[in-house]
Amino acid sequence: NPAKSKVFFEGYNAVENIQIMDALGKVVSKKQFSFVVSNNVLQVDIASLPDGVYFVEINNSVYRIVKQQ
């Protein structure tokens, strides 16, 4: 399902590295998103990103997300 503003990843109690890449592999500026870890859930705020397909890399694991209004 597409996400509008936030995406959640379970099983994270610490995040050493996080980055978001667009569909072409270009890294998105860290100023365009924020994240919080609480109770083993990583919450990433993607509200300011344009609609599209993104890849989120967290501690060397990569996830595909779709941002859509």
Side-chain angles (χ1 to χ4, degrees):
N1 292 339
K4 291 183 180 183
S5 62
K6 294 183 174 134
V7 289
F8 300 89
F9 302 92
E10 293 184 6
Y12 288 95
N13 56 7
V15 174
E16 297 171 14
N17 180 41
I18 182 171
Q19 64 180 8
I20 299 178
M21 294 148 294
D22 65 17
L24 300 175
K26 181 180 175 189
V27 176
V28 172
S29 169
K30 289 194 179 200
K31 293 178 184 176
Q32 291 185 286
F33 70 94
S34 62
F35 68 94
V36 175
V37 178
S38 178
N39 297 324
N40 288 333
V41 176
L42 168 64
Q43 175 183 305
V44 183
D45 186 336
I46 58 168
S48 66
L49 294 177
D51 289 357
V53 175
Y54 294 91
F55 297 92
V56 181
E57 182 178 359
I58 308 162
N59 297 348
N60 298 319
S61 295
V62 179
Y63 305 91
R64 180 182 176 270
I65 61 169
V66 177
K67 163 71 166 53
Q68 188 176 41
Q69 290 298 334

